[in-house]
Amino acid sequence: MQDGAVQEIPDRLRRRLDEVFGDVLPTTTRDEQDDPTPQDVDRDDADLLADRPPHHDRER
């Protein structure tokens, strides 16, 4: 394939690729989105901390 050939992929194949690999590119970039509020950041941190592995809590 040459550069720009992505647009030439038939719709049926494109749908199948999206189904298998998901949507790689977001619909908007970060600079187009609103800045996160402190509450959003706190919620993100809490989600990450709740998802840490059990061995992370062990002391050496």
Side-chain angles (χ1 to χ4, degrees):
M1 284 189 182
Q2 296 177 354
D3 291 340
V6 173
Q7 278 74 20
E8 297 171 12
I9 296 175
D11 288 338
R12 181 176 170 196
L13 178 57
R14 181 180 297 283
R15 281 193 303 272
R16 180 66 180 140
L17 288 171
D18 287 345
E19 183 179 307
V20 171
F21 295 106
D23 185 16
V24 177
L25 299 174
T27 55
T28 59
T29 60
R30 285 192 179 234
D31 62 332
E32 296 173 319
Q33 299 172 359
D34 294 332
D35 291 333
T37 63
Q39 293 84 8
D40 293 335
V41 173
D42 290 342
R43 183 175 53 235
D44 290 344
D45 288 346
D47 291 344
L48 291 173
L49 289 173
D51 194 30
R52 69 183 178 274
H55 68 272
H56 185 271
D57 293 332
R58 285 191 298 199
E59 293 184 27
R60 296 181 191 228

